[in-house]
Amino acid sequence: MDNRKPPMTSMTGRSRRSLYPDNEPISFGWLPTGGPHEVYYEECGAPGGKPCVILHGGPGGAINPTMRRFFDPSRWRMALFDQRGCGRSRPNASLQDNTTWALIEDIERLRVRMSIERWTVFGGSWGSTLALAYAAVHPERVEALILRGVFLLTQKELRWFYQDGACMLFPDAWERFLAPIPVEERDDLLGAYHRRLTSPDPAVQGAAAAAWSRWEGDTISIRGPEARPSKFNEPEFATAFARIECHYFVNGGFFDHDGWLLDQVERLRHIPTWIVQSRFDVVTPMDAAWRLKTAWPEARFELVWDAGHASTEPGIVDALVRATDAALKV
Ligand code: STX
């Protein structure tokens, strides 16, 4: 039997790009913030290369070695960091002074630390939210934007994923998400989860964090459970991820009003931008990317049909690698 995999092709029959080879950080360290947080960062790729910053998802996720492989390491100088409370940043899972505006200040601290004037900003999911918010505050620092699985952090998107939407596609996983919450509290699942994820009882926090994180792990890929990232099962990752996500979501991303990000687009339209979106993204459905594209006709918009939310879906890797190559010419 011939069990070799067929070559990966796009819906147009063109062969697909894959990730750049694995590469090791040139340097890493912890950036002081003047407050309780120390932010872990890495510099990767070519010291004299074109600068970019890579923003991870969640909020509450972490950087990982795959994220640097979307960029040609011989041509880009990449900065990656674990956002406050995340990954190797200290203290882990802390919600203190943890807001979108604080993260934007950290991005600026990192830029100054690395003596970079302007950079390309790359982010998927919450990373796209943070990229847009950073560009809205510091448009003069952004050379180009590469956004995947656009998430505008509106009430509509939160309702879809955490209350009444995605449950229609994943009723089996949804049962597990509902399990820690008594029936009387299920009209406001974000609120019910927030109370548990901020509980002084570590057992209550841990159970809620496991169920919260599993829901996202279960729905993230079109390829099914085999593609679920194993880190969602690690208690330390799950706790930081769930606590920080829920904290940002009950606070509406700390934005001035619902839909604030979309209202900033007029000021960003001069920035060369690539939007990569999956048709079957259940976590951050295409509605947000479409609204962004409609408000921003100059942005290049690439729709990938055979993919879900994960950045590692083959069609998404292909589109993102082509986007970072194209951004070299900006
Ligand atoms: N959260 C979407 C998001 O940014 C609603 C996201 N989802 N999963 C992730 O990020 C990780 C893969 C980084 C955990």
Side-chain angles (χ1 to χ4, degrees), residues 70-276:
F70 290 95
F71 289 82
D72 182 342
S74 70
R75 296 178 179 208
W76 288 92
R77 178 180 179 213
M78 298 170 248
L80 300 90
F81 69 100
D82 285 326
Q83 295 161 25
R84 293 182 176 209
C86 299
R88 279 167 276 190
S89 290
R90 303 186 285 240
N92 182 249
S94 169
L95 307 180
Q96 199 190 335
D97 296 339
N98 202 335
T99 69
T100 308
W101 313 113
L103 301 185
I104 290 171
E105 286 173 15
D106 294 341
I107 300 172
E108 277 297 272
R109 272 189 202 95
L110 185 57
R111 184 185 62 73
V112 170
R113 159 76 70 111
M114 294 177 70
S115 305
I116 289 166
E117 285 287 317
R118 299 172 78 224
W119 49 8
T120 294
V121 183
F122 175 97
S125 196
W126 159 257
S128 77
T129 322
L130 183 57
L132 286 165
Y134 172 70
V137 179
H138 298 287
E140 72 288 354
R141 298 298 175 192
V142 181
E143 206 155 48
L145 284 165
I146 303 172
L147 310 172
R148 170 200 54 92
V150 172
F151 181 41
L152 298 171
L153 216 153
T154 60
Q155 293 305 311
K156 189 178 180 184
E157 292 159 280
L158 295 175
R159 217 176 311 120
W160 160 269
F161 194 58
Y162 296 108
Q163 192 67 46
D164 191 12
C167 55
M168 301 281 279
L169 295 173
F170 286 86
D172 41 355
W174 187 250
E175 277 178 10
R176 289 188 288 268
F177 181 69
L178 290 180
I181 311 299
V183 176
E184 318 81 77
E185 291 183 60
R186 290 184 185 170
D187 288 343
D188 174 21
L189 290 164
L190 275 182
Y193 262 99
H194 188 256
R195 284 188 288 280
R196 287 160 180 79
L197 290 167
T198 54
S199 160
D201 180 347
V204 171
Q205 254 194 51
W212 175 281
S213 302
R214 170 113 198 232
W215 167 240
E216 203 148 330
D218 281 342
T219 51
I220 200 167
S221 175
I222 205 166
R223 291 161 293 163
E226 303 95 273
R228 183 191 318 136
S230 58
K231 66 184 170 193
F232 285 104
N233 305 327
E234 295 162 15
E236 199 185 334
F237 177 85
T239 297
F241 185 67
R243 276 170 55 81
I244 295 170
E245 269 201 335
C246 195
H247 165 72
Y248 274 70
F249 296 165
V250 298
N251 286 293
F254 303 94
F255 295 129
D256 176 72
H257 57 267
D258 192 26
W260 181 83
L261 268 183
L262 209 50
D263 294 341
Q264 309 311 306
V265 167
E266 252 349 275
R267 299 172 34 228
L268 307 180
R269 282 176 61 180
H270 63 282
I271 301 174
T273 294
W274 285 261
I275 299 170
V276 174

Side-chain angles (χ1 to χ4, degrees), residues 19-20 22 63-71 80 311-312:
L19 293 169
Y20 281 102
D22 206 1
I63 59 172
N64 65 63
T66 305
M67 290 174 67
R68 40 180 116 106
R69 298 179 56 196
F70 290 95
F71 289 82
L80 300 90
S311 62
T312 51

